[in-house]
Amino acid sequence: LTAAVFIDAEGSQVTDFGVSLTGADIGLADIPGFAALKNVPDIRFRDLLISETEVAGTLRTSNSMFNNLRAVIFRTGNQLTLAAMREKFTLEDVIPLPGPAKAVFSRIVFDKGLLIVSEAGVQGTISSLPKAAAALLTEVYGDANRRLKLGNGFNLAIALDPSAMGKGMSQLGIGRGKFVLDGGIEGVFGGTPSFMLSVAIPPVNFPATLGFLALPQNLTTAFFIKLTAAPDASLGVSLSGDFPMKTRQGSVVFTNEIAFELDAQGGLAIELTGTSDTPWPNPMGIPGMTLNPGTSLGVKISATSEVDLTFIGKSRIGKKEIDLTGSAGILVAEGVIDKGAF
């Protein structure tokens, strides 16, 4: 056993102090400062560092998901957070994947990822965390100034290179480089598996099949990986904002959500859902009809560029309000929404 004492200071102010124990194997419940906390997990640390606010080292536990991982447990008040580093793994190593999800996710191998279990969530910048915790999280996030918004429960943070996901991502102008996605994950220890991991990214190129949309306003863009209880497994890029949609009679502004999703072959499917902010005259070429603001619109474009549109809205004929619902295969070759085959 080798012991060493350390003191961290900024100027004349001591910011942290503790001891490192090489060759030691100590249970968390036996460490002063942690033994009195509620819900102390039954784990041990080997080759550990102990300070007032954290314990770091190699985990020893009967749980195979965490055993022998580099990890840190730090506290905020009376609440604990465990962050453990996992290397060379797939999502299937972390969470049971249903059949459709395996086709999408099983081929993606992550170099590094963080399994984070927190009693109260993790907020603020990485640099504001205790020293060992900040160092471990920076290995994945890459930026100590990254702001975290992790909820209580089980979270996952992974670094992903979208350019390795197939030709679909290159159509959006996403070059090489890693995005770090994080978020909550359910079903790790039983129940229905689900997760939503995402990260904000710069704007992407619009495919030619969306030529009927003018430049958006108030745009936010994110890269995402998700699995819902349906189950619905997908990964890709989501956009939200105000999009003017070009028609023969001008443009109609919709507040939209657009998802560019990769299929199992790496092709790019597009799904748009939105609600109109302005009237829509002569919808789909129907003369004398104007759909009121609030019309719901759905557009689906497959990887083979087949386009389907649905809309649900209200209009008026004289003093009478009517509901109007339609669906069509649409023609976008001229860069406008036009009627196709109803």
Side-chain angles (χ1 to χ4, degrees):
L1 175 67
T2 302
V5 176
F6 69 88
I7 297 176
D8 292 331
E10 292 181 3
S12 59
Q13 182 73 34
V14 175
T15 57
D16 197 12
F17 64 91
V19 60
S20 63
L21 301 171
T22 304
D25 192 321
I26 301 176
L28 184 65
D30 298 324
I31 298 173
F34 285 84
L37 295 177
K38 297 179 180 180
N39 304 319
V40 176
D42 183 20
I43 60 176
R44 305 181 70 82
F45 277 91
R46 185 178 66 243
D47 299 332
L48 68 163
L49 177 149
I50 305 171
S51 76
E52 282 193 304
T53 55
E54 62 183 342
V55 179
T58 301
L59 280 181
R60 304 288 289 167
T61 174
S62 59
N63 188 313
S64 59
M65 184 182 298
F66 291 95
N67 193 41
N68 285 325
L69 298 185
R70 289 189 295 128
V72 57
I73 288 184
F74 58 95
R75 60 175 183 164
T76 304
N78 287 326
Q79 305 295 318
L80 294 179
T81 294
L82 164 65
M85 177 75 73
R86 185 145 189 169
E87 302 184 48
K88 297 297 181 183
F89 70 100
T90 68
L91 287 173
E92 198 167 12
D93 296 324
V94 176
I95 186 173
L97 295 178
K102 289 183 180 181
V104 178
F105 300 134
S106 61
R107 58 190 173 88
I108 307 174
V109 178
F110 305 107
D111 289 333
K112 287 184 178 182
L114 287 165
L115 310 175
I116 302 171
V117 185
S118 181
E119 289 185 319
V122 183
Q123 308 290 323
T125 61
I126 293 175
S127 60
S128 68
L129 300 177
K131 181 179 179 180
L136 190 69
L137 269 64
T138 301
E139 285 191 44
V140 170
Y141 283 99
D143 180 5
N145 293 316
R146 171 76 173 257
R147 185 166 292 276
L148 302 173
K149 292 183 179 180
L150 300 176
N152 64 308
F154 200 103
N155 298 271
L156 181 64
I158 52 175
L160 178 66
D161 182 355
S163 66
M165 296 298 99
K167 61 182 180 181
M169 288 295 100
S170 62
Q171 294 178 36
L172 300 178
I174 297 177
R176 295 194 63 83
K178 290 186 177 181
F179 297 143
V180 181
L181 298 81
D182 59 18
I185 185 167
E186 301 286 342
V188 175
F189 304 116
T192 303
S194 64
F195 55 81
M196 176 62 175
L197 311 178
S198 64
V199 62
I201 64 173
V204 297
N205 298 334
F206 273 34
T209 46
L210 289 181
F212 57 88
L213 294 178
L215 291 176
Q217 299 177 342
N218 306 317
L219 181 66
T220 59
T221 309
F223 191 88
F224 70 90
I225 296 179
K226 71 176 180 179
L227 172 64
T228 64
D232 174 31
S234 58
L235 64 90
V237 174
S238 65
L239 293 81
S240 61
D242 298 325
F243 295 82
M245 184 182 72
K246 293 178 283 186
T247 71
R248 295 289 187 191
Q249 289 73 36
S251 64
V252 182
V253 178
F254 280 81
T255 297
N256 284 332
E257 297 281 344
I258 301 177
F260 302 103
E261 298 184 0
L262 290 180
D263 61 21
Q265 288 73 44
L268 196 66
I270 304 171
E271 184 168 346
L272 179 152
T273 57
T275 304
S276 65
D277 302 327
T278 57
W280 184 0
N282 300 332
M284 303 299 293
I286 303 174
M289 188 77 68
T290 297
L291 286 173
N292 298 337
T295 294
S296 297
L297 176 73
V299 178
K300 292 185 177 182
I301 305 174
S302 71
T304 57
S305 297
E306 294 178 357
V307 183
D308 293 301
L309 177 146
T310 59
F311 63 88
I312 302 173
K314 294 182 180 295
S315 184
R316 284 188 175 276
I317 297 180
K319 296 182 178 180
K320 186 176 182 180
E321 186 177 69
I322 63 171
D323 294 322
L324 190 64
T325 300
S327 62
I330 61 176
L331 309 174
V332 296
E334 299 179 36
V336 298
I337 290 288
D338 198 7
K339 65 180 178 180
F342 280 85

